[in-house]
Each structure stands twice: as structure tokens, then as C-alpha cells.
Amino acid sequence: MSLAADLGCRYISTALTSNPYNPSIYPPFSLRDDPALRREMIAAMRDRDVSISLGEGMVVRTGADIQDRVGDLEIMAELGVRRINTVSLDPDLDRSIDQFGILAENAASLGMETTVEASPGLTVPDLPSALDVIRQVGRPDFRLLVDTMHIVRSGSGPDDLARLDPGVIGYIQLSDAPLVPAIPRYMEEAMFERMVPGTGELPLLDVLDVLPRDDLVIGLEIPLRAEAMAGVGPHERIGRCVDAARSLLAQLGDQPRRA
């Protein structure tokens, strides 16, 4: 969170445990198992005026009951999280929808809303599927997370987003990418090698132009593992992403919004 504050950002997102990004660069951590770390994090966020805009890692899995994650939700609430995100790796769509509903209900009891993220290769692979899931869950606090890479790569675009009720959108994750995958395994690209906004081929300006922005956080999900492995430091990597995102938003401020 200190890096976010240094770059003038007010929010971060996090899971309770570390992603195996590269242990030699980022040592593993567990907010779930380390109460002292949680206390340190809460104090640091208070001191630097940074908060957690999105709690990650609430994944629906085959053979696991999301009800068992109540303890994790309680930790998220302790950390001041007000929104959690979910995806499903369970190929049973009906069961996934039931699990989403349980998760959203439990999160709401702790003062948090829930977003669902569509991605190629997951049980909810695209925008139409996500909208159908949201309709079936049927809760106003269960909304859509718009990840620009996933939405465009799965076949939707600005016109599709423009037709949505703005109230269905709960969060925006910004990144860039080529239109044709550069890495054969989609999830490897999504988790480790995205592109700085404006350096790829996604229609980011058009997408952002049709999304509500006044009361939504725009998060950056732009892993640059190759640069990290090459020794490019986090301030330089993330600073470029923040500057590029602000440049895009400034361009939107200079032009009329699409109808």
C-alpha cells in the first residue's frame, strides 16, 4: 500500500494469500494465518490513507463449499474490504450459481458486496453468461466486474457495454492486450503478462467512455512478470501503468461521452 500511496492511488486489491508470481521477488504471505501482518497492514493503510477496493480469491471450486470461506470473509471485513470478487472453476453452472448466491449473502451480512468476473476458459466465460448469472442470483449487491481484457477477448465490446444498466456494473479492471493472444495459454497471459494501457490493441477509450465512472473504482490489473524478472522495479513498472491510465482518463475528459 505504500507504493500505491507514493503513486497517488487511494486503493489496492488483494487476496488473503500470495499468488505464486515469483517467490524470489515477492516472498509468500498469508493474511489468513498471520494476525500480526493484518494489524500491520491495517495500521499502514490508515497511515497512508489507502484502502482495499477489492478482495480477491473467493473462487468457486468443484467439491468445495463456499460456505466454508466465511472465516475468510470475516478477515476481509476486518481489513476494511467493502467488495469481494468471485469466479468459478466448477464446470457445473447451476451449482456455481448456487455458490455465488451463498457467497453474496454471506458477504452482505458483513457489509460487503460481491462482483462476478467473466473470463474465457472459466465457467462464466463471457459478458452474456455473466449477465445471466447475475439475473439468476437476483441480488442488487451481486454485480459485474468489467475486466477490459476478458470482456474484449471473449467477444464483447463498447456497444455491448453501452447497453447495460449502469447499476449492474460494480467494478472496472483496466489493462491492455493484443486482440490476438500472444501467449498460447490464456490464463498464463492473463495472470502474468498483460500490457500497459495504450500499448496494446484493446479499444480502451471506447470501453471506458461507455462505463459509469463517477462512483466506481477503476483498478489496474497489469502483471508484468517478464519485466520484474528482468529487474525492472515495482515503482517503474506500476508507475508507468498508473500514468498511462490517468492519461486515458484525461483524454476522456476532453471529449463528449458516447450516447
Side-chain angles (χ1 to χ4, degrees):
M1 77 288 301
S2 292
L3 175 56
D6 290 346
L7 295 173
C9 299
R10 295 175 53 201
Y11 302 103
I12 62 170
S13 64
T14 187
L16 294 181
T17 57
S18 52
N19 187 318
Y21 193 82
N22 187 291
S24 66
I25 300 175
Y26 298 110
F29 68 87
S30 176
L31 290 163
R32 178 188 297 119
D33 301 319
D34 192 340
L37 180 61
R38 295 200 298 271
R39 291 192 294 270
E40 292 172 12
M41 186 171 184
I42 291 168
M45 289 192 293
R46 181 182 62 245
D47 291 345
R48 298 305 307 268
D49 192 25
V50 171
S51 58
I52 302 172
S53 60
L54 191 70
E56 296 271 21
M58 297 297 170
V59 179
V60 173
R61 301 180 186 275
T62 303
D65 188 350
I66 204 70
Q67 182 69 37
D68 296 336
R69 302 295 300 277
V70 169
D72 286 350
L73 291 176
E74 291 172 344
I75 292 173
M76 290 285 189
E78 177 188 346
L79 293 169
V81 175
R82 288 294 172 262
R83 181 184 303 101
I84 60 165
N85 186 50
T86 187
V87 300
S88 178
L89 301 179
D90 185 340
D92 186 332
L93 179 59
D94 289 337
R95 181 179 183 276
S96 296
I97 291 169
D98 289 342
Q99 292 280 286
F100 289 150
I102 293 168
L103 177 63
E105 182 177 1
N106 287 334
S109 72
L110 294 166
M112 296 180 286
E113 75 168 32
T114 303
T115 57
V116 62
E117 181 176 4
S119 172
L122 298 185
T123 307
V124 183
D126 51 30
L127 178 60
S129 301
L131 296 175
D132 185 58
V133 164
I134 290 168
R135 179 186 60 78
Q136 293 196 57
V137 171
R139 298 180 59 98
D141 54 10
F142 186 77
R143 302 199 286 166
L144 174 69
L145 183 147
V146 174
D147 180 301
T148 55
M149 176 179 171
H150 296 331
I151 290 292
V152 175
R153 282 280 191 83
S154 63
S156 295
D159 291 341
D160 304 291
L161 294 168
R163 287 191 286 268
L164 299 183
D165 175 355
V168 80
I169 301 172
Y171 199 83
I172 301 167
Q173 283 182 331
L174 182 65
S175 68
D176 214 337
L179 292 176
V180 177
I183 297 175
R185 293 180 59 197
Y186 184 88
M187 280 302 160
E188 181 179 354
E189 181 181 14
M191 292 178 64
F192 300 120
E193 294 295 348
R194 301 203 192 192
M195 298 179 71
V196 177
T199 64
E201 298 175 327
L202 303 183
L204 296 182
L205 276 174
D206 290 337
V207 167
L208 289 171
D209 189 39
V210 301
L211 294 176
R213 299 191 301 274
D214 294 340
D215 60 348
L216 292 184
V217 174
I218 299 177
L220 303 182
E221 187 170 40
I222 312 172
L224 300 169
R225 182 175 62 180
E227 290 193 12
M229 296 294 292
V232 180
H235 277 78
E236 181 178 348
R237 295 196 318 273
I238 300 173
R240 286 183 9 248
C241 297
V242 170
D243 289 346
R246 288 175 174 154
S247 176
L248 282 175
L249 294 173
Q251 291 178 59
L252 289 177
D254 293 335
Q255 62 188 37
R257 293 194 65 137
R258 290 177 52 177

